Amino acid sequence: MNYPNKIKKCNNSFITYGNRGMELEELLNQTNLFYLEKNIALIYKKPTDIGIVKVDYSNKQQIVDAYFKTSSTLDYNGIYKGKYIEFDAKATQNRTSFPLKNIHDHQINHLKKVIEHNGIVFLIIKMNASYFLFPGKTLISFLEKNTRKSIPYDFIKENSYFIKEQIDPPLDYLKGIDQIYFGGE
Amino acid sequence: MNYPNKIKKCNNSFITYGNRGMELEELLNQTNLFYLEKNIALIYKKPTDIGIVKVDYSNKQQIVDAYFKTSSTLDYNGIYKGKYIEFDAKATQNRTSFPLKNIHDHQINHLKKVIEHNGIVFLIIKMNASYFLFPGKTLISFLEKNTRKSIPYDFIKENSYFIKEQIDPPLDYLKGIDQIYFGGE
């Protein structure tokens, strides 16, 4: 995966402003780059799934007609401490509850399968200017017990690892993985 | 990930012709779909990494200008028996040796890192109408000992699990993984 130079170059200015305005995805890209460089974990964002309709081979294989596909899997995956990891990053402007329309049914099915195959799966939720690592198992058990179309903010707060935003890496979510899945190693 | 219906629909006709003419990628997609449906493993091909230059929002988010990026990781990854798996599929017309220009330097680096992090990494090579599961560790040790720009066919044959082409799944490469990494379970 190519980490565009601009992300690295922007680093200092973002830090100056305390990451203000940085999108969740950019914070996670920087975090994953940190993990990669320190050889802590290998975690990549999957490329956006695109259906290609037409390529202009006369012009350096320029794609001139394509469309966005919906994905059944989650956006990030990789390996940490020998374990398979997969997660999605979701931000909501809603202050009281997290709307479940943010997660497709086929993603829920996939999430269940990853758990079944003994992988680590979770969401990173940005809500009320805070970052939460919300375990996949908790999401599944919530869905089994509720018919609600959203998860109350208090439930997320009580059942997540709170990811403190910091300088480097910006969102050290693997600390939460250590605590939840590796017994606080 | 969406498995296009046409692949499933084509299934019977391909079987009639004994998979003749089916591309390696299609055989692997069918195999991975088989593993998914039988709940044996979760293995997906990553979407092609594309840089989007221009989107026409007036027409259902049609992408009207984009280009292919090179990837640093391998094309397929997922989870099998709780372990992280990653591999690439390579076909060559060369009958005597596998040209190493097929694998980028950053992919070699990535491959080393996956091994370091205790993941399972390999190539599936189609050569001389046969399919070989060539372990990542063997590739790395070959590169360390040789300055050649290709791997002799005999070396691949002697150091790979031979994947027998069959009907369903077309390329049961996880049998090779069982043998090499799980002690023949």
Side-chain angles (χ1 to χ4, degrees), chain A residues 98-134:
Chain A
F98 176 80
L100 284 165
K101 69 168 165 23
N102 276 313
I103 312 163
H104 303 295
D105 283 349
H106 40 254
Q107 288 182 316
I108 297 290
N109 287 335
H110 178 71
L111 212 139
K112 283 182 192 167
K113 276 176 185 285
V114 176
I115 294 168
E116 230 177 285
H117 284 269
N118 204 21
I120 293 174
V121 63
F122 54 94
L123 299 179
I124 291 179
I125 297 175
K126 181 180 184 181
M127 200 171 167
N128 293 323
S130 295
Y131 299 90
F132 301 98
L133 191 163
F134 188 60

Short mmCIF file of all heavy atoms in Angstrom, two decimals, chain A residues 98-134:
data_model
loop_
_atom_site.label_atom_id
_atom_site.label_comp_id
_atom_site.label_asym_id
_atom_site.label_seq_id
_atom_site.Cartn_x
_atom_site.Cartn_y
_atom_site.Cartn_z
N PHE A 98 -25.86 5.81 17.91
CA PHE A 98 -25.12 5.46 16.69
C PHE A 98 -26.07 4.73 15.74
O PHE A 98 -26.53 3.62 16.04
CB PHE A 98 -23.94 4.56 17.06
CG PHE A 98 -23.15 4.05 15.89
CD1 PHE A 98 -22.22 4.87 15.27
CD2 PHE A 98 -23.34 2.77 15.40
CE1 PHE A 98 -21.48 4.41 14.18
CE2 PHE A 98 -22.62 2.31 14.31
CZ PHE A 98 -21.69 3.14 13.70
N PRO A 99 -26.40 5.33 14.60
CA PRO A 99 -27.38 4.72 13.69
C PRO A 99 -26.84 3.45 13.04
O PRO A 99 -25.74 3.45 12.49
CB PRO A 99 -27.60 5.81 12.62
CG PRO A 99 -26.94 7.05 13.14
CD PRO A 99 -25.88 6.60 14.08
N LEU A 100 -27.61 2.38 13.11
CA LEU A 100 -27.13 1.09 12.59
C LEU A 100 -27.15 1.02 11.08
O LEU A 100 -26.57 0.11 10.49
CB LEU A 100 -27.92 -0.06 13.22
CG LEU A 100 -27.50 -0.33 14.66
CD1 LEU A 100 -28.51 -1.19 15.38
CD2 LEU A 100 -26.12 -0.98 14.68
N LYS A 101 -27.77 1.99 10.44
CA LYS A 101 -27.73 2.02 8.97
C LYS A 101 -26.30 2.24 8.46
O LYS A 101 -26.00 2.03 7.29
CB LYS A 101 -28.69 3.07 8.40
CG LYS A 101 -28.32 4.52 8.65
CD LYS A 101 -29.19 5.43 7.78
CE LYS A 101 -29.19 6.91 8.15
NZ LYS A 101 -28.10 7.50 8.88
N ASN A 102 -25.41 2.64 9.38
CA ASN A 102 -23.99 2.76 9.04
C ASN A 102 -23.32 1.42 8.73
O ASN A 102 -22.22 1.38 8.19
CB ASN A 102 -23.23 3.39 10.21
CG ASN A 102 -23.31 4.90 10.20
OD1 ASN A 102 -23.12 5.51 9.16
ND2 ASN A 102 -23.62 5.50 11.34
N ILE A 103 -23.98 0.34 9.14
CA ILE A 103 -23.38 -0.98 8.93
C ILE A 103 -24.35 -1.83 8.11
O ILE A 103 -25.50 -2.02 8.48
CB ILE A 103 -23.12 -1.70 10.28
CG1 ILE A 103 -22.40 -0.74 11.25
CG2 ILE A 103 -22.29 -2.96 10.07
CD1 ILE A 103 -22.48 -1.20 12.68
N HIS A 104 -23.86 -2.34 6.97
CA HIS A 104 -24.71 -3.15 6.10
C HIS A 104 -24.91 -4.56 6.68
O HIS A 104 -24.05 -5.06 7.39
CB HIS A 104 -24.06 -3.31 4.71
CG HIS A 104 -23.77 -2.02 4.05
ND1 HIS A 104 -24.76 -1.15 3.66
CD2 HIS A 104 -22.59 -1.43 3.73
CE1 HIS A 104 -24.19 -0.09 3.11
NE2 HIS A 104 -22.88 -0.22 3.14
N ASP A 105 -26.00 -5.17 6.30
CA ASP A 105 -26.30 -6.54 6.75
C ASP A 105 -25.19 -7.53 6.38
O ASP A 105 -24.82 -8.39 7.18
CB ASP A 105 -27.61 -7.05 6.11
CG ASP A 105 -28.81 -6.44 6.82
OD1 ASP A 105 -28.62 -5.82 7.90
OD2 ASP A 105 -29.93 -6.57 6.30
N HIS A 106 -24.65 -7.40 5.16
CA HIS A 106 -23.62 -8.36 4.76
C HIS A 106 -22.32 -8.13 5.55
O HIS A 106 -21.54 -9.04 5.74
CB HIS A 106 -23.37 -8.34 3.24
CG HIS A 106 -23.38 -6.98 2.65
ND1 HIS A 106 -24.42 -6.51 1.88
CD2 HIS A 106 -22.50 -5.97 2.75
CE1 HIS A 106 -24.14 -5.27 1.51
NE2 HIS A 106 -22.99 -4.92 2.02
N GLN A 107 -22.15 -6.90 6.04
CA GLN A 107 -20.99 -6.64 6.91
C GLN A 107 -21.20 -7.31 8.28
O GLN A 107 -20.26 -7.85 8.86
CB GLN A 107 -20.76 -5.14 7.08
CG GLN A 107 -20.20 -4.49 5.81
CD GLN A 107 -19.92 -3.01 5.99
OE1 GLN A 107 -20.73 -2.29 6.57
NE2 GLN A 107 -18.80 -2.55 5.48
N ILE A 108 -22.44 -7.27 8.77
CA ILE A 108 -22.76 -7.95 10.04
C ILE A 108 -22.51 -9.45 9.90
O ILE A 108 -21.89 -10.07 10.77
CB ILE A 108 -24.25 -7.71 10.42
CG1 ILE A 108 -24.52 -6.21 10.66
CG2 ILE A 108 -24.65 -8.55 11.63
CD1 ILE A 108 -23.89 -5.65 11.91
N ASN A 109 -22.95 -10.02 8.80
CA ASN A 109 -22.72 -11.45 8.57
C ASN A 109 -21.23 -11.77 8.53
O ASN A 109 -20.77 -12.76 9.09
CB ASN A 109 -23.37 -11.90 7.26
CG ASN A 109 -24.87 -11.97 7.40
OD1 ASN A 109 -25.40 -12.15 8.50
ND2 ASN A 109 -25.58 -11.82 6.28
N HIS A 110 -20.50 -10.92 7.85
CA HIS A 110 -19.06 -11.11 7.74
C HIS A 110 -18.40 -11.05 9.12
O HIS A 110 -17.55 -11.88 9.47
CB HIS A 110 -18.47 -10.06 6.81
CG HIS A 110 -16.99 -10.16 6.68
ND1 HIS A 110 -16.36 -11.19 6.00
CD2 HIS A 110 -15.98 -9.39 7.17
CE1 HIS A 110 -15.06 -11.04 6.07
NE2 HIS A 110 -14.80 -9.95 6.78
N LEU A 111 -18.81 -10.06 9.90
CA LEU A 111 -18.31 -9.86 11.25
C LEU A 111 -18.51 -11.12 12.11
O LEU A 111 -17.60 -11.57 12.81
CB LEU A 111 -19.11 -8.68 11.81
CG LEU A 111 -18.53 -7.72 12.78
CD1 LEU A 111 -18.98 -6.30 12.42
CD2 LEU A 111 -19.04 -8.05 14.15
N LYS A 112 -19.71 -11.70 12.01
CA LYS A 112 -19.99 -12.95 12.75
C LYS A 112 -19.04 -14.05 12.33
O LYS A 112 -18.54 -14.82 13.15
CB LYS A 112 -21.42 -13.41 12.46
CG LYS A 112 -22.49 -12.64 13.21
CD LYS A 112 -23.86 -13.23 12.89
CE LYS A 112 -24.98 -12.32 13.38
NZ LYS A 112 -26.29 -12.71 12.81
N LYS A 113 -18.78 -14.14 11.03
CA LYS A 113 -17.90 -15.19 10.51
C LYS A 113 -16.47 -15.01 11.02
O LYS A 113 -15.79 -15.97 11.36
CB LYS A 113 -17.91 -15.20 8.98
CG LYS A 113 -19.07 -16.00 8.40
CD LYS A 113 -19.07 -15.89 6.88
CE LYS A 113 -20.27 -16.57 6.28
NZ LYS A 113 -20.14 -18.05 6.31
N VAL A 114 -16.01 -13.76 11.05
CA VAL A 114 -14.64 -13.52 11.53
C VAL A 114 -14.51 -13.99 12.98
O VAL A 114 -13.52 -14.63 13.35
CB VAL A 114 -14.23 -12.04 11.38
CG1 VAL A 114 -12.84 -11.79 11.97
CG2 VAL A 114 -14.24 -11.62 9.91
N ILE A 115 -15.53 -13.69 13.78
CA ILE A 115 -15.53 -14.13 15.19
C ILE A 115 -15.48 -15.67 15.25
O ILE A 115 -14.68 -16.25 15.98
CB ILE A 115 -16.76 -13.60 15.94
CG1 ILE A 115 -16.68 -12.06 16.05
CG2 ILE A 115 -16.88 -14.23 17.33
CD1 ILE A 115 -17.95 -11.39 16.51
N GLU A 116 -16.33 -16.29 14.44
CA GLU A 116 -16.38 -17.76 14.38
C GLU A 116 -15.02 -18.37 14.03
O GLU A 116 -14.66 -19.43 14.53
CB GLU A 116 -17.36 -18.13 13.27
CG GLU A 116 -18.43 -19.12 13.63
CD GLU A 116 -19.34 -19.32 12.43
OE1 GLU A 116 -20.17 -18.42 12.13
OE2 GLU A 116 -19.17 -20.34 11.76
N HIS A 117 -14.29 -17.68 13.14
CA HIS A 117 -12.98 -18.18 12.71
C HIS A 117 -11.86 -17.71 13.63
O HIS A 117 -10.70 -17.81 13.28
CB HIS A 117 -12.71 -17.77 11.26
CG HIS A 117 -13.47 -18.61 10.27
ND1 HIS A 117 -12.95 -19.74 9.72
CD2 HIS A 117 -14.72 -18.48 9.78
CE1 HIS A 117 -13.84 -20.28 8.91
NE2 HIS A 117 -14.92 -19.54 8.92
N ASN A 118 -12.26 -17.16 14.79
CA ASN A 118 -11.28 -16.83 15.82
C ASN A 118 -10.42 -15.61 15.47
O ASN A 118 -9.28 -15.49 15.91
CB ASN A 118 -10.40 -18.07 16.08
CG ASN A 118 -9.78 -18.04 17.45
OD1 ASN A 118 -10.28 -17.35 18.34
ND2 ASN A 118 -8.68 -18.76 17.63
N GLY A 119 -10.98 -14.71 14.68
CA GLY A 119 -10.31 -13.45 14.39
C GLY A 119 -10.78 -12.36 15.35
O GLY A 119 -11.77 -12.55 16.07
N ILE A 120 -10.07 -11.26 15.36
CA ILE A 120 -10.42 -10.11 16.20
C ILE A 120 -11.11 -9.08 15.31
O ILE A 120 -10.54 -8.65 14.31
CB ILE A 120 -9.15 -9.51 16.85
CG1 ILE A 120 -8.56 -10.50 17.85
CG2 ILE A 120 -9.44 -8.17 17.49
CD1 ILE A 120 -7.22 -10.05 18.43
N VAL A 121 -12.34 -8.73 15.67
CA VAL A 121 -13.09 -7.83 14.81
C VAL A 121 -13.79 -6.77 15.65
O VAL A 121 -14.28 -7.05 16.74
CB VAL A 121 -14.06 -8.63 13.88
CG1 VAL A 121 -15.10 -9.38 14.68
CG2 VAL A 121 -14.70 -7.76 12.82
N PHE A 122 -13.79 -5.54 15.18
CA PHE A 122 -14.33 -4.43 15.98
C PHE A 122 -14.65 -3.23 15.11
O PHE A 122 -14.34 -3.22 13.91
CB PHE A 122 -13.35 -4.05 17.10
CG PHE A 122 -11.96 -3.72 16.63
CD1 PHE A 122 -11.58 -2.42 16.37
CD2 PHE A 122 -11.01 -4.73 16.42
CE1 PHE A 122 -10.30 -2.12 15.92
CE2 PHE A 122 -9.72 -4.43 15.98
CZ PHE A 122 -9.36 -3.13 15.73
N LEU A 123 -15.28 -2.24 15.73
CA LEU A 123 -15.49 -0.95 15.07
C LEU A 123 -14.70 0.11 15.83
O LEU A 123 -14.56 0.02 17.05
CB LEU A 123 -16.97 -0.55 15.11
CG LEU A 123 -17.99 -1.45 14.43
CD1 LEU A 123 -19.39 -0.87 14.61
CD2 LEU A 123 -17.68 -1.60 12.94
N ILE A 124 -14.19 1.08 15.11
CA ILE A 124 -13.69 2.29 15.76
C ILE A 124 -14.71 3.38 15.45
O ILE A 124 -14.96 3.70 14.29
CB ILE A 124 -12.28 2.67 15.29
CG1 ILE A 124 -11.28 1.63 15.81
CG2 ILE A 124 -11.90 4.07 15.77
CD1 ILE A 124 -9.84 1.86 15.41
N ILE A 125 -15.37 3.85 16.51
CA ILE A 125 -16.47 4.80 16.34
C ILE A 125 -16.05 6.18 16.83
O ILE A 125 -15.54 6.32 17.94
CB ILE A 125 -17.72 4.33 17.13
CG1 ILE A 125 -18.22 2.99 16.56
CG2 ILE A 125 -18.83 5.38 17.09
CD1 ILE A 125 -19.37 2.36 17.34
N LYS A 126 -16.23 7.16 15.97
CA LYS A 126 -16.02 8.55 16.40
C LYS A 126 -17.39 9.16 16.67
O LYS A 126 -18.25 9.20 15.78
CB LYS A 126 -15.29 9.37 15.34
CG LYS A 126 -15.07 10.81 15.82
CD LYS A 126 -14.36 11.67 14.80
CE LYS A 126 -14.11 13.05 15.42
NZ LYS A 126 -13.45 13.97 14.48
N MET A 127 -17.57 9.62 17.89
CA MET A 127 -18.87 10.14 18.30
C MET A 127 -18.65 11.13 19.43
O MET A 127 -17.83 10.87 20.32
CB MET A 127 -19.71 8.95 18.78
CG MET A 127 -21.18 9.20 18.78
SD MET A 127 -22.08 7.66 19.11
CE MET A 127 -23.69 8.38 19.44
N ASN A 128 -19.30 12.24 19.39
CA ASN A 128 -19.13 13.29 20.41
C ASN A 128 -17.65 13.61 20.63
O ASN A 128 -17.19 13.75 21.76
CB ASN A 128 -19.79 12.86 21.73
CG ASN A 128 -21.29 12.76 21.60
OD1 ASN A 128 -21.91 13.57 20.90
ND2 ASN A 128 -21.90 11.79 22.24
N ALA A 129 -16.92 13.72 19.53
CA ALA A 129 -15.50 14.07 19.54
C ALA A 129 -14.63 13.09 20.33
O ALA A 129 -13.52 13.42 20.73
CB ALA A 129 -15.29 15.51 20.06
N SER A 130 -15.16 11.88 20.57
CA SER A 130 -14.37 10.84 21.22
C SER A 130 -14.25 9.62 20.30
O SER A 130 -15.04 9.45 19.38
CB SER A 130 -15.04 10.41 22.54
OG SER A 130 -15.04 11.49 23.45
N TYR A 131 -13.25 8.79 20.60
CA TYR A 131 -12.99 7.60 19.78
C TYR A 131 -13.15 6.35 20.63
O TYR A 131 -12.54 6.26 21.70
CB TYR A 131 -11.57 7.66 19.20
CG TYR A 131 -11.35 8.86 18.33
CD1 TYR A 131 -10.88 10.05 18.86
CD2 TYR A 131 -11.64 8.80 16.96
CE1 TYR A 131 -10.69 11.17 18.05
CE2 TYR A 131 -11.46 9.91 16.15
CZ TYR A 131 -10.99 11.09 16.71
OH TYR A 131 -10.81 12.18 15.91
N PHE A 132 -13.96 5.42 20.14
CA PHE A 132 -14.25 4.21 20.90
C PHE A 132 -13.89 2.97 20.10
O PHE A 132 -14.20 2.88 18.91
CB PHE A 132 -15.74 4.16 21.26
CG PHE A 132 -16.19 5.32 22.08
CD1 PHE A 132 -16.83 6.41 21.49
CD2 PHE A 132 -15.96 5.34 23.45
CE1 PHE A 132 -17.23 7.50 22.23
CE2 PHE A 132 -16.37 6.44 24.22
CZ PHE A 132 -17.00 7.52 23.60
N LEU A 133 -13.26 2.01 20.76
CA LEU A 133 -13.06 0.69 20.15
C LEU A 133 -14.20 -0.18 20.68
O LEU A 133 -14.24 -0.54 21.85
CB LEU A 133 -11.70 0.14 20.57
CG LEU A 133 -11.19 -1.11 19.83
CD1 LEU A 133 -9.69 -1.27 20.06
CD2 LEU A 133 -11.92 -2.37 20.22
N PHE A 134 -15.12 -0.48 19.78
CA PHE A 134 -16.35 -1.20 20.15
C PHE A 134 -16.23 -2.63 19.60
O PHE A 134 -16.25 -2.84 18.38
CB PHE A 134 -17.54 -0.45 19.53
CG PHE A 134 -18.89 -0.94 19.95
CD1 PHE A 134 -19.27 -0.94 21.29
CD2 PHE A 134 -19.80 -1.39 19.00
CE1 PHE A 134 -20.54 -1.37 21.68
CE2 PHE A 134 -21.07 -1.83 19.38
CZ PHE A 134 -21.44 -1.82 20.73
#
